[in-house]
Amino acid sequence: MFKKDFAWGAATAAYQIEGAAYEDGKGLSVWDVFTAKGSSYKGETGEVACDHYHRYEEDVKLMKEMGINSYRFSLAWTRILPEGTGKVNQKGIDFYNRLIDCLLENGITPYVTLFHWDYPQVLEVKGNWSNPDSPKWFQEYAEVVFKAFGDRVKHFITFNEPQCFIGTGYGADKLQAPGIKFSDGELVLKAHHVLLAHGLAVQSFRKLVPDGKIGYAPTGSPAIPASDSKADIDAAREEYFDVPKDGWTWNVSWWSDPVILGSYPKHTEMFARLEKFLPANYEEDLKIISQPIDFYCQNIYNGYMVKAGKKGREYIPNPVGTPMTTMQWPVTPAALYWGPRFLYERYGLPIIISENGMACPDMISSDGKVHDQSRICFMEQYLKELERATDDGVDVVGYMYWSLMDNFEWGHGYRPRFGLIHVDYQTQKRTPKDSYYWYREFIQSRK
C-alpha cells in the first residue's frame, strides 16, 4: 500500500518543454548547438518545444486537474547563468519564480532538478566535465538556485541520469549532445567530476536550505530474476550491481556507490581496469561525494531477465512477442518491483521513481480524444508491481510519470510521444489523453 503522503507526480525537463531558447537573456547550451547542426531526428530542435515558457499557467492548471500533488521539472542552467558562471540573469530567475509560485498556489509540490543534460556551451568549450574546475562551476550555479528558490522549494535533485549525459553524450558519438566520443580514461574523469559536483552541491544545500531535502536521480535497467528461487534472486542482484565490460557507463553501482556508500564498486572486474583513470586524490574526494542525501531517485523503464546457471549468471532473452514501446523498449512491469527492492536493500534510502513511462503512437481520434489504452495497461501493470514492493517493505515515497506532456525527446526529436497530455506542435493545443484521466482516478483510489 502506498503511503498517505506519497508524492504522485509527473516529470519534465527544461530543454524538452520550455522553448524560448533565445529569449530573455538565456545563454546557449550544448543542446542548442547540437540541434542547430541538425543532429537530432529530422533536424528538429527544442527552440519552441511545448512553449511551456509562455504557457506554464495553462500547464499547471492541467496538472491540478489531473490531481497530482508533485511536479518534477528541471531548471535551464543557461537561463539562470547565461555564461555558466558569474552574472545572474534576473529574467531567468523571474520565470522560475512565477512557475514555482503558480505550482504552490495550486497545491503542487515542486521537485526541482538542477541539471537535466543542457550543459552551458561556454563551459563545454572550457573542457566541460573534464576540467578540474567543473565541480566548482556546478556548485556556484547550485548556490544561486538555492538562494533564489530555497525559501519555497524544499525538494531538490542534483543530477538526472549521468549514465546518459556522460556515457552517451561523450561516449557514443552522435547519439546525444554534445555528440563527441571520448576514451574510457576521459569518461572516468568526467564521471568523477560529476560525482564531486553532486557532493559539493549537497554541502551548499545543507547551509542554504537547512529545512529542505535533496536527492539524486541516476538510471538503470534492473535485472529481474527468472524465478523466486534464492539462486536466481542472488544472480539478478549481482548482475544489477555489476559494471559491464561493454558500455561500462550504463550501470548503477559506479554512479551510486560513491554517493551513498562512499566508495567505488571495487567488487567489480571493471574497477580494477578503470581505477588508474581516477585522479590521484579520488579517495579524499569521496568524503565530499558521499554527503548524506535524503532520498534516492531512480529512472526505470524496463528490465531484463537473469538466472543462475552452471557457469554463473545467465541472461535470458525476452520471449518472442514481448510487447514493445515505440522506442523499441520491452514492457517488463516486474522491473518496478525488483529495481526498488534491490536498490533499497543496498542503499537503505527512501526511493522515488523519478521517471517511468511509455512512448505510444498517439493521435487525436475522430471524437477529438486520445485513446491510449496501451499506456493505461502499462501504468496499471507497473504501478501494481511498485505497490507490491511497498507491501514487501520497500520505502517507496514517490512516483513521477514520464512525462507530463509530449515533448522534444532529445535525439529522437518529436517522434516519440510519452506524455499524459497530447501536444499539437503546430498549434500548441493540449489534449489530455485517456491515461491522464486514468492516472487521476488511480491517485484518488490510493488516497
Side-chain angles (χ1 to χ4, degrees):
M1 176 178 294
F2 295 111
K3 296 181 175 182
K4 292 297 182 183
D5 59 350
F6 196 83
W8 291 108
T12 63
Y15 187 76
Q16 294 181 267
I17 68 166
E18 284 183 2
Y22 310 114
E23 291 185 37
D24 291 342
K26 178 184 169 295
L28 289 176
S29 77
V30 293
W31 274 96
D32 292 314
V33 174
F34 184 73
T35 56
K37 297 175 182 177
S39 300
S40 64
Y41 177 73
K42 292 190 174 181
E44 294 165 341
T45 77
E47 290 183 8
V48 177
C50 304
D51 198 29
H52 177 72
Y53 189 79
H54 301 108
R55 299 170 180 265
Y56 70 91
E57 290 178 304
E58 176 186 359
D59 295 334
V60 173
K61 181 180 178 181
L62 286 167
M63 294 181 216
K64 182 178 181 180
E65 291 175 355
M66 183 165 54
I68 58 175
N69 60 24
S70 304
Y71 173 48
R72 179 190 172 213
F73 63 99
S74 75
L75 309 177
W77 185 338
T78 55
R79 204 177 287 286
I80 293 171
L81 292 172
E83 297 299 317
T85 60
K87 186 178 180 180
V88 175
N89 177 31
Q90 188 58 43
K91 288 184 178 180
I93 297 291
D94 292 344
F95 166 68
Y96 290 118
N97 272 328
R98 293 193 299 270
L99 173 58
I100 290 164
D101 289 344
C102 188
L103 288 166
L104 294 173
E105 288 165 5
N106 285 277
I108 299 170
T109 299
Y111 281 72
V112 170
T113 303
L114 296 176
F115 183 77
H116 196 136
W117 303 8
D118 45 352
Y119 196 70
Q121 177 65 19
V122 68
L123 300 183
E124 174 66 27
V125 299
K126 290 183 179 180
N128 57 74
W129 295 107
S130 288
N131 191 312
D133 291 331
S134 59
K136 289 289 187 180
W137 297 339
F138 183 76
Q139 184 181 31
E140 178 183 340
Y141 158 62
E143 289 184 352
V144 171
V145 169
F146 298 148
K147 290 174 182 176
F149 312 124
D151 59 327
R152 286 152 295 144
V153 177
K154 301 302 177 182
H155 298 82
F156 286 91
I157 297 165
T158 54
F159 288 99
N160 181 79
E161 295 186 343
Q163 291 92 338
C164 293
F165 71 80
I166 295 297
T168 307
Y170 297 101
D173 193 20
K174 298 182 180 179
L175 291 178
Q176 301 282 9
I180 305 170
K181 190 171 183 178
F182 287 86
S183 66
D184 279 347
E186 283 290 325
L187 293 180
V188 168
L189 184 62
K190 291 178 194 295
H192 184 76
H193 287 156
V194 168
L195 294 173
L196 182 56
H198 160 86
L200 290 170
V202 174
Q203 285 185 329
S204 294
F205 176 79
R206 297 300 179 202
K207 296 176 183 177
L208 297 171
V209 194
D211 58 341
K213 294 183 178 181
I214 194 165
Y216 169 58
T219 189
S221 299
I224 301 168
S227 75
D228 288 336
S229 72
K230 183 179 184 302
D232 283 350
I233 292 172
D234 289 346
R237 183 187 297 107
E238 291 171 5
E239 177 71 21
Y240 192 27
F241 295 112
D242 200 358
V243 178
K245 297 176 183 178
D246 297 323
W248 68 268
T249 55
W250 190 259
N251 74 88
V252 172
S253 58
W254 193 278
W255 301 98
S256 296
D257 279 16
V259 169
I260 304 170
L261 304 181
S263 65
Y264 278 101
K266 296 183 178 181
H267 66 285
T268 65
E269 179 182 338
M270 286 303 291
F271 180 78
R273 298 186 185 187
L274 299 174
E275 182 184 17
K276 62 178 179 273
F277 299 123
L278 288 166
N281 65 333
Y282 84 86
E283 290 183 327
E284 283 299 308
D285 288 343
L286 285 167
K287 296 175 184 177
I288 299 173
I289 292 169
S290 60
Q291 296 296 302
I293 57 177
D294 302 294
F295 55 88
Y296 177 71
C297 300
Q298 192 79 352
N299 297 351
I300 298 176
Y301 290 89
N302 54 71
Y304 57 99
M305 196 167 292
V306 172
K307 72 174 183 178
K310 293 180 180 179
K311 296 182 180 180
R313 305 188 303 266
E314 294 183 8
Y315 165 74
I316 302 176
N318 290 317
V320 173
T322 295
M324 306 290 282
T325 73
T326 56
M327 294 289 286
Q328 295 302 300
W329 297 347
V331 177
T332 55
L336 226 55
Y337 173 81
W338 290 103
R341 174 172 160 173
F342 288 151
L343 293 167
Y344 188 61
E345 287 175 354
R346 188 176 186 87
Y347 299 128
L349 288 171
I351 290 175
I352 294 175
I353 300 302
S354 40
E355 287 184 24
N356 170 252
M358 178 185 188
C360 298
D362 300 325
M363 63 184 72
I364 303 289
S365 298
S366 57
D367 60 2
K369 300 178 181 179
V370 180
H371 302 297
D372 56 337
Q373 185 60 39
S374 293
R375 182 174 289 107
I376 292 172
C377 291
F378 177 99
M379 296 178 72
E380 185 174 29
Q381 293 177 39
Y382 272 74
L383 284 168
K384 180 180 178 181
E385 291 294 321
L386 186 62
E387 191 163 28
R388 183 163 74 96
T390 68
D391 291 343
D392 285 351
V394 180
D395 189 16
V396 183
V397 297
Y399 172 86
M400 307 289 176
Y401 178 83
W402 183 271
S403 61
L404 173 68
M405 66 183 78
D406 297 335
N407 56 45
F408 178 80
E409 281 295 336
W410 306 111
H412 301 281
Y414 294 99
R415 180 172 53 88
R417 290 183 176 270
F418 278 89
L420 296 166
I421 300 168
H422 181 277
V423 179
D424 182 322
Y425 299 116
Q426 280 68 53
T427 65
Q428 293 297 337
K429 180 181 178 181
R430 274 77 159 136
T431 302
K433 304 176 186 180
D434 286 356
S435 57
Y436 170 102
Y437 298 106
W438 180 89
Y439 192 32
R440 181 171 69 185
E441 292 175 4
F442 184 86
I443 293 170
Q444 290 174 346
S445 74
R446 293 308 190 271
K447 287 185 177 179

